[in-house]
Amino acid sequence: MRLLVIEDETRIAAAIKRALELHNYAVDTVGDADGGLAAAIDPDYDLIILDRMLPGSMDGAVVCRKVRAADVHTPILMLTARGEVDDKVAGLQAGADDYVVKPFSMKELVVRVQVLLRRPPLSLGTVIKLADLEVNIERFEVKRAGQDIVLSAREFKLLTYLIYNRGQTLSKDKIISHVWDGDALILPNTVEVYIGYLRKKIDKAFPGKVPLIQTVRGFGYRLGSSD
Ligand code: CA
């Protein structure tokens, strides 16, 4: 998985990068708000660590708000200064998923990252809608055009991953790393098989409706209601 760290204090950024790389995450760092925003809307990142105070034309909370305004729901972990309660509130209101107060231990940071990577993005809410598809991530319920759809646990996990990242093309490798936790025994062919199961239940069962699962030949899959 690939993580983005937006932090201007190079010593802290380097320490975070080192700690996360030890846990097998790929990490890119950016040291200012504008460069950070440009990188953050790249769908390739699985999580963003965002410092509240940054050089550039905006602060971390504004970066966060702009990322969400671009309909990007990548989990964001905000770094805030000690005791600045307003900072935490501003960060969460801007659409961050969690925050860590400086100074923090790398151990704590890694745990927060692991938790966030397993949790649905807060910014999407409990019931996620795409066209006439509705996914209730707390009650494990899926509906299309008001009709209940029964999915296996793995199909549900695959669908939630696709809907969290709707509109983005997701490679089979990326899907394996999220939906099968990177299990080395899972082959790309398994992803095709499960996409086939989902397609049958979500698209083929509704012949009059726009297909939502799109194959992007040579790249992967995308969930969306249009091109
Ligand atoms: Ca800073």
Side-chain angles (χ1 to χ4, degrees), residues 4 6 40 46-51 60-61 63-68 72-79 91-92 94-100 112 116 119 121-123:
L4 174 66
I6 307 171
D46 299 291
L47 183 138
I48 298 159
I49 295 174
L50 173 62
D51 190 27
V63 172
C64 189
R65 198 168 292 122
K66 290 194 172 190
V67 168
R68 295 303 182 228
V72 171
H73 299 277
T74 310
I76 294 178
L77 178 62
M78 190 83 93
L79 306 179
L92 294 175
D97 292 80
D98 197 5
Y99 60 85
V100 171
R112 297 290 191 95
L116 278 186
R119 204 171 83 180
L122 286 183
S123 53

Side-chain angles (χ1 to χ4, degrees), residues 133 135 137 140 142 151-166 170-172 174-181 188-199 202 213 220-223:
L133 181 72
V135 179
I137 50 174
F140 302 101
V142 180
L151 298 182
S152 71
R154 187 70 69 184
E155 289 162 0
F156 187 81
K157 201 169 175 188
L158 174 58
L159 177 62
T160 52
Y161 181 57
L162 292 172
I163 206 166
Y164 295 165
N165 297 285
R166 68 253 174 98
L170 303 164
S171 69
K172 290 177 194 171
K174 216 165 152 71
I175 292 172
I176 291 170
S177 97
H178 283 268
V179 179
W180 280 269
D181 297 319
N189 183 41
T190 307
V191 178
E192 282 171 37
V193 170
Y194 274 84
I195 288 282
Y197 294 157
L198 262 190
R199 197 168 252 153
I202 283 166
I213 300 173
Y221 301 99
R222 181 172 60 193
L223 194 72

Side-chain angles (χ1 to χ4, degrees), residues 102-173:
K102 286 180 172 179
F104 50 84
S105 74
M106 288 303 153
K107 201 174 165 186
E108 182 189 1
L109 185 84
V110 169
V111 169
R112 297 290 191 95
V113 163
Q114 289 167 334
V115 168
L116 278 186
L117 285 171
R118 288 196 196 104
R119 204 171 83 180
L122 286 183
S123 53
L124 282 174
T126 306
V127 180
I128 307 174
K129 291 180 188 172
L130 180 79
D132 54 357
L133 181 72
E134 269 180 48
V135 179
N136 186 318
I137 50 174
E138 263 172 21
R139 299 170 69 179
F140 302 101
E141 286 172 357
V142 180
K143 283 183 186 175
R144 181 149 196 200
Q147 285 182 45
D148 290 319
I149 299 172
V150 179
L151 298 182
S152 71
R154 187 70 69 184
E155 289 162 0
F156 187 81
K157 201 169 175 188
L158 174 58
L159 177 62
T160 52
Y161 181 57
L162 292 172
I163 206 166
Y164 295 165
N165 297 285
R166 68 253 174 98
Q168 298 176 20
T169 302
L170 303 164
S171 69
K172 290 177 194 171
D173 283 348

Side-chain angles (χ1 to χ4, degrees), residues 6-9 12 51-55 79 102:
I6 307 171
E7 162 65 88
D8 57 308
E9 288 166 76
I12 296 177
D51 190 27
R52 175 77 163 83
M53 297 301 290
L54 289 167
L79 306 179
K102 286 180 172 179

Side-chain angles (χ1 to χ4, degrees), residues 20-21 32 42 45 53 56 65 85 94 105 113 118 150 156 169 175 185-186 194 205 209 212 217:
L20 291 170
E21 283 174 347
D32 70 284
D42 182 329
Y45 292 108
M53 297 301 290
R65 198 168 292 122
V85 179
S105 74
V113 163
R118 288 196 196 104
V150 179
F156 187 81
T169 302
I175 292 172
L185 296 175
I186 298 296
Y194 274 84
K209 304 280 179 184
L212 298 176
R217 217 156 283 287

